[in-house]
Amino acid sequence: MNYEKQKVRILLVEDEWLIALTTQQILQDAGYVVVGPAPSVRTALELIDSDRVDVAMLDVRLGKDTSFPVAEALRRQKTPFLFMSGYERQDMPDIFNNYDIVAKPVLPAILLEKLSSLMTEDKC
Amino acid sequence: MPNTAIATGLVDFAIPAQEMMDKIVEFARGLLSSNVATVPAEDEEVMSAYRQINEILRTRIGHDFSGYKNKTFYRRVNRRMQIVKTETVEEYAKYLAQESKEVNALFRDLLINVTSFFRDADAYEALQATVIPSIFEGRGAANSVRVWVPGCATGEEVYSIAMLMREHMDTLPTVPHVQIFATDIDASIVAVARSGQYPEALVEGVSEARRKRFFALEGSTYVVEKEIRELCVFSPHSIVRDPPFSRMDLVSCRNVLIYFGSELQNQTIPTFHYALKPGGYLFLGSSENISRFDYLFAPVDRKQRIFRSRAQASGGVLVPRLTPGIPMAPLPSAVRPLKTAPGSTLRHTAEARVLERFSPAHVVVNQDGDIVYFSSRTGKYLEAGSGAPSRNLLSMARKGLRLELRTLLRASVEKNSACVRDNIAVETDDGSVQILTLVVEPVEVADQEDRLFLIIFADTGPLVSRENAINRPRIADDAIVTLLEHEIRETRDKLQGIVEEYETTLEEVKSTNEEILSVNEEYQSTNEELEASKEELQSLNEELQTVNSELTLKIDALDKANSDLCNLFDSTQIATIFIDQHMLIRSFTPVASKLFNILTSDKGRPLTDLSPRVDYPEMTDHIIKVLATGESIEHKIKSLNSEQYYLARTQPYRSSDGDLKGAVLTFVDISILTKANINITNLKATDAHLRLLVAELNHRVKNMLSVALAIVKQTLAGSPISKEIYNSVVGRLHGLAASHELLVLESWSDMNIVDLLHKHLSPFGLDRIRFPNTPVLLKPREALSLGMVLHELSTNAAKYGSLSSPEGLVTITWFEGPGDGNYRRLNLQWEETGGPPPTAPAKRGFGMSLIQQEVAYTLDGNVDFSFMHGGLRFNLDCNIAQ
């Protein structure tokens, strides 16, 4: 799949506003369009329904909830995504074994690299 | 109390109180109008009505009142007439014939049962002083003392005597068997007496000491104690109609005879004599007497009417008549003394003198041959016989006269006319012979019920010698005549012999008859005793039945309890073994059988014989200890071949009265408990470990923040950035650290908004920042966000707002209200006053943007900044979790 950078829409799910703000800036600086950021499962699912989402970045912990329902929805519609969290692999459900986990705090360079590799991998 | 009164039968009306007044008035009127009737007119119709009444009583009740004193009888009848409101005796007799209830009422009234405890105290004292000690004298445990109280009424007299006897018995070393037979004609009154219950008013005559000793107070009723009650035997009995009791030591018959007419009295007093042992005592009422029977009784205390039976009364044994109205075979010895005709005038004296000198010797006898009158000079024809004195003509007649007298008397009785026989020879003591003519003729004497006969012994010629007498009748020298006379004499002698033989036989028959009669009396007495015993047995039987039904109930309850216990045994999972003092198994629960290999057949075997499946070698020691000390012992044991743990508890088994009767061993399965305990221990360790980890983590985060702060400080210190930026970066990091610190303190649990304000605002001086002490609990995340907002607001106020001038104040207020779903609404206001005029509201710095975005993003709320004249006014609305 070939992505035009200007057109790639990234769904950002992150409950910590300052982190969301910072990440959003990194992504926007790199030329992506940020959908969100969404602080909750409800908002994220609404955005998936209403907007085009090409790629997604999910924080695992959203307040008391986890972003697994969002991940499940994305997996089902075959939208590539990665987790961005302090969680380790062993803390994750097995069905998401194939998805990458970027540890927080993440360096902008690594984040962008992961993103682009996610988009070049033909996962869809 | 009213029921008891009604039960005595002495109450005429049992009616409600409001009707009583009318009844009394009515009764008083009847009393006035019937005054005339109290003295019965000598009217033949009235008399026949009375007789009719008597007849009704005799047929319906079986009791003959004809012997009762007429006056008493009339008075009682008149009383009943007033009550049933009849005017004349005839009407009453008719009424009586129709109403069987009235017959009973009249019967009750006629038997006035007025008595009281120790009635005539002096008389009872005399009884106590003289009679009772004498009765008990020389009686041992094998003997018995018998007392008869005929006409006992409601029993007061009986119990009075019983109390005296009891008191005397207390002074004796050995006590004879005492029986007090209490009888009354009225069965219902006997029942009252038998119950021995008296209202307080009736026991007033009893001294305080006796009341305490002999009565039990039940409510307001005095009940005669058992020791007195057991001395007495009650039974219905008529002195007049039924055969009397016998072999009595004391007969107490007080105030009964006064109601009897003279004939009935004359019948009754000999009855008492019969009933008494020789030397036995008779105790009569103060206005009664033995009248003319002083040959039967000797007075002991005339004033108190105490008499003593004469050992051998003249006239022989008096057997009382059983059935009045039916004549018994006349007994020659049963003398009825009769009044002699009085004569006192001069003429009478003269005539008597002449008669005495010139008239032949004569006697007057009744139809039984008992002499009621002797003339002078009868000694030639009569002589006193041997043995008990007798007044019978035939037993007194001299030889030769007896046969003729008997024949003539009988003929005269039968024909009711004079009979004469001439030429009778009677032999005198000196052997000479007197020829005489015998005349027997009936005489009419006024006031005498018996028919009387005059017997005249008229001598013909002087006394002659025996030879002359034999030769005297030789009127013809005829040999045939002589032969015939000889034959006649022989025949006469033979006849004489036969007559004598006959008389002897007759005497024997009589004495046999008497014996039979007295045997009969004995039987009768025994029968009475049996009946009394039967009555006692019946009451005992009733008691037993009550006890039995009680027992049945108890057994039922026991059965239930037992089945409950069995079910408990079967259902309980606690192994329990009951053993006795010798460690023998008494019972056990099914679970215990698994633990100890006990079979039902092992009951009674020593527990120590069995091999338990648990590791409990100390068991025997423990049991011995428990049996010795009575204190329970607990011990934790393990099963021999599985991972089962038991709590073995050995406890003393105590009987209901607290005695140590064995021990109870219980084995509670505590395996699960033990495992749970281990789990808890593990959990505790994990918990402690986690706590340690969290503490470590908190420490690390704090350190991290400090390190981050230090890095920022060091990095910025050398860079050409403004002081302002440096301060705001470092300040925000410090604010974050402060919030975090607070959360660590609260262990990441809910935090009070007041504490949050204190933490963030105290560096700016709490005297200038005012907020209420209204608690609102915030979740850690909410607290961090709000902490960030507060930090931005306060640093802004200190830089540009009210806190930048010395007079400026900040006032913070908040309130909490219901929100959507699981959320609450929090509204917070920040108002600055007294500071410099607010500057450039349009210039929204990063601070304001941070506040706005943080609140909107994290708290799902909104904020409003308004720059009033006095300073900033900030309003926050957000949702917080419950």
Side-chain angles (χ1 to χ4, degrees):
Chain A
M1 201 179 288
N2 202 11
Y3 292 94
E4 287 286 329
K5 261 199 178 177
Q6 279 78 6
K7 288 179 186 173
V8 174
R9 299 173 69 84
I10 300 179
L11 171 66
L12 180 58
V13 180
E14 167 63 61
D15 66 335
E16 201 67 53
W17 177 70
L18 274 170
I19 297 170
L21 186 68
T22 314
T23 315
Q24 188 181 11
Q25 271 166 4
I26 294 167
L27 294 174
Q28 278 170 349
D29 291 349
Y32 295 102
V33 174
V34 173
V35 179
S40 64
V41 172
R42 186 167 54 87
T43 318
L45 290 175
E46 274 168 17
L47 286 172
I48 292 169
D49 277 353
S50 60
D51 254 326
R52 182 166 67 83
V53 174
D54 300 319
V55 180
M57 285 177 60
L58 310 177
D59 184 8
V60 174
R61 192 97 216 157
L62 300 177
K64 283 185 288 179
D65 307 321
T66 62
S67 62
F68 297 140
V70 182
E72 177 60 23
L74 291 169
R75 191 183 66 85
R76 243 183 282 142
Q77 66 181 44
K78 300 187 168 39
T79 305
F81 64 91
L82 58 81
F83 291 107
M84 184 176 63
S85 174
Y87 275 55
E88 300 287 323
R89 169 66 67 195
Q90 72 245 29
D91 304 325
M92 307 288 285
D94 291 345
I95 52 164
F96 304 125
N97 274 351
N98 291 334
Y99 295 90
D100 221 339
I101 299 171
V102 183
K104 274 207 248 184
V106 64
L107 287 171
I110 292 173
L111 177 66
L112 292 173
E113 192 211 303
K114 289 274 183 192
L115 264 178
S116 55
S117 69
L118 186 67
M119 281 178 288
T120 50
E121 275 171 36
D122 196 8
K123 284 194 175 166
C124 305
Chain B
M1 172 63 199
N3 290 336
T4 326
I6 294 165
T8 61
L10 298 176
V11 176
D12 292 319
F13 302 108
I15 50 172
Q18 60 263 33
E19 293 171 28
M20 280 184 183
M21 205 55 220
D22 292 344
K23 270 288 179 212
I24 293 169
V25 170
E26 208 173 77
F27 195 72
R29 271 198 209 116
L31 204 67
L32 288 175
S33 64
S34 66
N35 269 351
V36 196
T38 47
V39 182
E42 291 297 319
D43 188 345
E44 189 48 40
E45 277 178 36
V46 175
M47 293 311 288
S48 86
Y50 279 122
R51 275 198 294 278
Q52 202 183 330
I53 290 168
N54 206 344
E55 187 57 25
I56 291 168
L57 283 170
R58 204 173 64 79
T59 48
R60 298 270 177 88
I61 307 279
H63 192 81
D64 190 1
F65 282 93
S66 58
Y68 278 53
K69 271 185 188 165
N70 283 352
K71 266 187 195 166
T72 315
F73 187 74
Y74 299 151
R75 209 165 45 232
R76 297 287 155 187
V77 170
N78 274 314
R79 209 182 94 81
R80 286 311 305 172
M81 280 164 60
Q82 285 168 46
I83 288 162
V84 301
K85 284 176 281 171
T86 47
E87 292 290 324
T88 65
V89 185
E90 294 91 323
E91 269 179 53
Y92 181 75
K94 267 184 211 157
Y95 179 78
L96 196 66
Q98 289 158 6
E99 296 287 325
S100 58
K101 255 169 125 180
E102 183 57 29
V103 180
N104 279 321
L106 178 63
F107 177 57
R108 288 271 159 74
D109 255 20
L110 283 166
L111 308 167
I112 344 98
N113 299 305
V114 180
T115 177
S116 64
F117 284 102
F118 300 104
R119 188 181 181 179
D120 308 324
D122 296 345
Y124 278 100
E125 269 168 34
L127 194 71
Q128 186 178 22
T130 57
V131 177
I132 290 177
S134 139
I135 290 173
F136 280 94
E137 210 175 87
R139 305 281 173 98
N143 302 103
S144 67
V145 167
R146 290 156 61 91
V147 178
W148 181 23
V149 185
C152 68
T154 42
E156 284 90 338
E157 185 184 339
V158 185
Y159 291 127
S160 300
I161 291 171
M163 282 182 235
L164 294 180
M165 304 271 259
R166 186 79 243 174
E167 279 167 0
H168 185 74
M169 280 151 76
D170 289 347
T171 66
L172 299 177
T174 55
V175 182
H177 179 58
V178 173
Q179 274 178 305
I180 302 177
F181 297 94
T183 63
D184 199 291
I185 186 164
D186 183 355
S188 59
I189 210 92
V190 171
V192 174
R194 185 179 291 140
S195 70
Q197 296 175 339
Y198 300 97
E200 193 171 0
L202 290 188
V203 294
E204 268 169 6
V206 184
S207 70
E208 188 61 37
R210 279 181 183 149
R211 238 187 276 183
K212 253 186 201 160
R213 163 95 202 264
F214 298 121
F215 289 92
L217 188 58
E218 287 179 8
S220 60
T221 310
Y222 283 86
V223 180
V224 177
E225 284 283 4
K226 217 174 168 191
E227 62 166 346
I228 293 300
R229 177 66 190 77
E230 279 175 346
L231 298 179
C232 308
V233 176
F234 290 92
S235 80
H237 174 274
S238 166
I239 325 168
V240 181
R241 201 179 54 206
D242 297 330
F245 289 66
S246 55
R247 292 182 290 114
M248 291 293 156
D249 294 296
L250 169 66
V251 170
S252 170
C253 182
R254 313 200 70 222
N255 303 310
V256 175
L257 295 180
I258 48 170
Y259 302 109
F260 288 180
S262 61
E263 192 187 340
L264 211 50
Q265 285 195 10
N266 290 346
Q267 185 190 329
T268 311
I269 292 172
T271 303
F272 291 155
H273 182 261
Y274 170 80
L276 284 166
K277 282 180 189 172
Y281 289 91
L282 176 66
F283 186 32
L284 294 177
S286 54
S287 54
E288 295 161 334
N289 215 330
I290 49 162
S291 64
R292 54 202 178 74
F293 289 97
D294 39 13
Y295 63 96
L296 294 179
F297 291 99
V300 174
D301 186 334
R302 233 180 239 287
K303 191 164 167 257
Q304 306 303 348
R305 312 290 184 206
I306 299 171
F307 305 92
R308 196 158 192 188
S309 169
R310 287 188 197 273
Q312 183 60 59
S314 58
V317 182
L318 277 183
V319 179
R321 288 165 61 179
L322 285 181
T323 38
I326 302 164
M328 289 174 65
L331 297 174
S333 53
V335 176
R336 298 220 198 146
L338 297 167
K339 278 182 194 162
T340 50
S344 58
T345 59
L346 179 64
R347 183 182 155 202
H348 204 106
T349 318
E351 279 175 1
R353 197 60 174 272
V354 170
L355 276 170
E356 195 181 308
R357 183 167 294 183
F358 298 106
S359 67
H362 58 272
V363 292
V364 180
V365 298
N366 63 14
Q367 60 182 353
D368 296 334
D370 292 339
I371 300 169
V372 296
Y373 177 78
F374 291 94
S375 75
S376 55
R377 290 177 280 112
T378 55
K380 215 191 303 181
Y381 319 105
L382 306 175
E383 73 177 345
S386 60
S390 163
R391 280 188 278 183
N392 192 277
L393 177 68
L394 301 178
S395 57
M396 288 174 86
R398 282 183 188 273
K399 201 180 172 189
L401 266 179
R402 202 171 286 173
L403 182 65
E404 303 298 344
L405 274 172
R406 183 190 300 280
T407 320
L408 278 177
L409 183 58
R410 186 162 295 158
S412 182
V413 167
E414 277 168 13
K415 291 182 201 154
N416 203 21
S417 64
C419 297
V420 183
R421 172 124 346 145
D422 295 328
N423 220 9
I424 295 165
V426 59
E427 218 171 298
T428 59
D429 291 337
D430 54 5
S432 51
V433 171
Q434 173 70 58
I435 309 296
L436 58 98
T437 303
L438 259 180
V439 181
V440 177
E441 63 178 54
V443 284
E444 290 287 325
V445 183
D447 296 343
Q448 276 294 345
E449 290 161 22
D450 283 354
R451 290 165 66 195
L452 297 180
F453 299 88
L454 179 66
I455 294 167
I456 302 168
F457 306 95
D459 294 350
T460 46
L463 279 170
V464 288
S465 66
R466 196 177 170 84
E467 293 74 39
N468 287 350
I470 292 166
N471 297 331
R472 179 186 52 83
R474 196 179 292 157
I475 299 163
D477 289 328
D478 232 32
I480 298 163
V481 172
T482 316
L483 194 69
L484 283 174
E485 278 186 348
H486 187 70
E487 257 184 42
I488 285 170
R489 204 168 291 126
E490 273 184 357
T491 313
R492 203 175 276 165
D493 284 345
K494 271 181 198 164
L495 187 65
Q496 184 74 22
I498 288 166
V499 164
E500 271 166 19
E501 215 169 283
Y502 162 72
E503 280 184 357
T504 319
T505 316
L506 193 65
E507 287 299 323
E508 271 170 28
V509 168
K510 271 178 212 159
S511 66
T512 311
N513 188 24
E514 277 166 31
E515 267 170 41
I516 288 169
L517 272 177
S518 52
V519 167
N520 186 26
E521 297 318 314
E522 295 268 334
Y523 279 146
Q524 194 68 32
S525 308
T526 314
N527 194 24
E528 303 294 336
E529 275 173 43
L530 277 176
E531 293 223 346
S533 303
K534 189 186 153 204
E535 167 240 315
E536 298 269 311
L537 271 177
Q538 261 172 351
S539 68
L540 196 67
N541 192 24
E542 270 163 36
E543 253 176 60
L544 277 176
Q545 268 173 348
T546 322
V547 172
N548 188 29
S549 72
E550 255 174 56
L551 265 179
T552 314
L553 282 179
K554 278 187 182 162
I555 286 170
D556 281 351
L558 212 64
D559 272 349
K560 269 184 199 159
N562 197 29
S563 92
D564 284 356
L565 270 181
C566 281
N567 279 303
L568 181 67
F569 270 29
D570 290 346
S571 65
T572 184
Q573 290 304 309
I574 300 172
T576 309
I577 303 169
F578 294 88
I579 54 169
D580 66 6
Q581 296 105 308
H582 311 293
M583 291 199 213
L584 303 180
I585 299 167
R586 289 187 43 232
S587 64
F588 55 88
T589 63
V591 190
S593 62
K594 288 180 202 155
L595 219 59
F596 269 83
N597 295 327
I598 314 182
L599 302 173
T600 319
S601 55
D602 290 334
K603 279 186 186 173
R605 279 183 65 190
L607 180 64
T608 43
D609 283 7
L610 300 168
S611 57
R613 291 184 194 167
V614 285
D615 185 20
Y616 192 12
E618 311 91 335
M619 182 173 75
T620 313
D621 292 341
H622 284 178
I623 295 171
I624 289 168
K625 215 172 185 180
V626 167
L627 288 175
T629 62
E631 282 165 16
S632 57
I633 294 174
E634 280 187 12
H635 188 64
K636 198 174 154 185
I637 54 170
K638 190 179 166 301
S639 168
L640 282 178
N641 42 19
S642 66
E643 277 297 310
Q644 298 283 99
Y645 291 91
Y646 295 94
L647 181 69
R649 190 180 286 138
T650 311
Q651 283 171 303
Y653 181 99
R654 291 187 190 281
S655 62
S656 51
D657 46 8
D659 293 346
L660 199 66
K661 292 282 183 201
V664 184
L665 280 84
T666 57
F667 299 88
V668 183
D669 189 342
I670 52 164
S671 311
I672 297 169
L673 209 66
T674 313
K675 276 170 200 158
N677 254 339
I678 292 165
N679 282 348
I680 287 169
T681 318
N682 287 348
L683 277 176
K684 272 187 188 156
T686 317
D687 190 51
H689 184 63
L690 278 176
R691 269 171 205 280
L692 217 72
L693 274 181
V694 169
E696 179 67 20
L697 220 58
N698 283 335
H699 178 69
R700 290 265 170 90
V701 170
K702 240 171 159 178
N703 272 355
M704 267 323 208
L705 275 170
S706 307
V707 169
L709 209 60
I711 290 169
V712 169
K713 277 181 186 169
Q714 292 302 321
T715 314
L716 294 185
S719 71
I721 54 158
S722 72
K723 179 102 175 145
E724 198 181 339
I725 292 169
Y726 174 82
N727 280 347
S728 79
V729 169
V730 173
R732 281 181 184 131
L733 281 173
H734 272 297
L736 202 62
S739 291
H740 182 261
E741 195 181 336
L742 214 54
L743 282 168
V744 169
L745 273 179
E746 299 287 334
S747 314
W748 292 87
S749 64
D750 290 356
M751 183 186 291
N752 192 344
I753 193 168
V754 181
D755 297 338
L756 192 69
L757 261 66
H758 267 284
K759 186 79 188 174
H760 280 283
L761 304 180
S762 48
F764 303 99
L766 287 180
D767 51 335
R768 300 176 64 198
I769 305 172
R770 297 182 180 162
F771 50 87
N773 194 16
T774 315
V776 172
L777 289 179
L778 303 168
K779 297 283 167 218
R781 211 185 141 72
E782 293 157 359
L784 279 175
S785 282
L786 199 60
M788 224 179 277
V789 170
L790 287 170
H791 174 79
E792 293 302 325
L793 285 172
S794 52
T795 48
N796 189 60
K799 248 187 269 173
Y800 314 110
S802 57
L803 297 180
S804 62
S805 71
E807 302 84 23
L809 291 176
V810 174
T811 311
I812 306 165
T813 54
W814 63 84
F815 66 87
E816 191 187 8
D820 311 331
N822 285 333
Y823 291 92
R824 291 165 296 150
R825 194 87 206 147
L826 174 69
N827 176 269
L828 184 137
Q829 296 231 356
W830 172 287
E831 195 173 356
E832 295 178 17
T833 48
T839 51
K843 185 185 162 194
R844 275 197 186 182
F846 174 70
M848 272 171 74
S849 158
L850 190 142
I851 290 170
Q852 203 159 28
Q853 293 294 324
E854 180 69 31
V855 169
Y857 201 81
T858 313
L859 296 177
D860 190 22
N862 52 67
V863 296
D864 176 55
F865 296 91
S866 52
F867 297 91
M868 312 296 284
H869 182 69
L872 171 73
R873 181 175 286 171
F874 168 78
N875 185 62
L876 181 149
D877 256 318
C878 69
N879 281 324
I880 54 172
Q882 289 276 20

